[in-house]
Amino acid sequence: MLGKMITLEGVEGAGKSTQLVMLVDYLRQHGVSVVSTREPGGTLLGEKIRGILLNDDGVCISDESELLLMFTARQQHLQEVIKPALAKGQWVVCDRFIDASYAYQSGGRGMDQHRVQRLEDWVLAGFKPDLTLLLDVPVSAGFSRIQNRGKDRIEQENSAFFERVRRTYLQRAESDYSRIKVIDSSQPVDVVANAIQSCVDALIALS
Ligand SMILES: Nc1ncnc2c1ncn2[C@@H]1O[C@H](COP(=O)(O)OP(=O)(O)OP(=O)(O)O)[C@@H](O)[C@H]1O
Ligand SMILES: [Mg+2]
């Protein structure tokens, strides 16, 4: 793979979408060709699946179905968008990716993480992002930032769910510290952006 993949993770309102736009600008200023994308989504099929997963329209979705749908969207995303872009030397910046499945479906929902691992082994087959930026913010602070927004199906969960999500993200960062960088996202937008740029500078220097 010639390009690099950077993923942004974190609980609701952590600032992923805000920082993604700024990071893409920063990379382009450094002459990097970038594809900006998100999960679930990123392809026509993936965006349809996103609608099923996030619409709060009363459709019954078991925890297992949720996990499988996430990985169905991911499989299509990898095959149709991510791997072709990387093969062309483009960088891919993605709003949520594999770590979200561990944080939400295993940490949040309480599903056995080995189930997630088995799907990761199958769908990703060893593929990993080059860098993951975990935007860490207290759950209540993140939600207060998005209080004027309507809540999607998953956002209806209680605060204990999101505390487990946050904790799982932090545990993953601890056990995979060379890939996952924790950024204190309770700081102002520009301070967070600077911290992200410092992490990314190392990756640009390597390329
Ligand atoms: N560091 C920050 N300090 C204060 N407000 C912020 C910060 N970062 C983002 N915001 C604001 O918080 C809100 C949520 O930010 P954003 O949409 O980027 O979060 P997100 O992580 O993408 O959320 P979601 O998980 O719901 O997609 C926006 O109104 C944004 O302007
Ligand atoms: Mg967002």
Side-chain angles (χ1 to χ4, degrees), residues 16-17 95 149:
K16 299 176 296 297
S17 304
D95 190 333
R149 228 186 250 173

Side-chain angles (χ1 to χ4, degrees), residues 22-82:
M22 296 172 80
L23 173 56
V24 167
D25 278 353
Y26 183 76
L27 287 169
R28 287 185 178 143
Q29 281 163 24
H30 284 77
V32 177
S33 169
V34 189
V35 173
S36 154
T37 186
R38 68 175 180 180
E39 287 206 350
T43 65
L44 204 49
L45 176 64
E47 292 295 328
K48 286 183 186 222
I49 292 172
R50 183 186 182 91
I52 294 169
L53 284 167
L54 299 185
N55 284 349
D56 186 28
D57 53 7
V59 173
C60 179
I61 304 175
S62 69
D63 293 352
E64 289 78 5
S65 298
E66 181 178 286
L67 178 66
L68 289 166
L69 284 168
M70 290 289 184
F71 271 93
T72 303
R74 182 163 300 136
Q75 158 60 37
Q76 191 68 29
H77 197 199
L78 271 165
Q79 192 171 313
E80 194 179 321
V81 174
I82 298 172

Side-chain angles (χ1 to χ4, degrees), residues 97-155:
F97 192 60
I98 183 68
D99 299 291
S101 293
Y102 286 93
Y104 286 78
Q105 280 69 50
S106 177
R109 301 273 186 228
M111 291 231 295
D112 185 345
Q113 64 163 334
H114 295 106
R115 284 191 163 179
V116 186
Q117 182 74 58
R118 283 208 293 275
L119 290 170
E120 178 182 358
D121 290 347
W122 181 35
V123 171
L124 266 63
F127 175 87
K128 286 225 179 263
D130 295 282
L131 172 66
T132 296
L133 301 158
L134 172 54
L135 305 189
D136 182 55
V137 74
V139 170
S140 55
F143 270 100
S144 71
R145 288 178 182 170
I146 57 166
Q147 61 189 349
N148 297 327
R149 228 186 250 173
K151 287 187 174 176
D152 66 35
R153 189 184 64 87
I154 294 175
E155 287 167 355

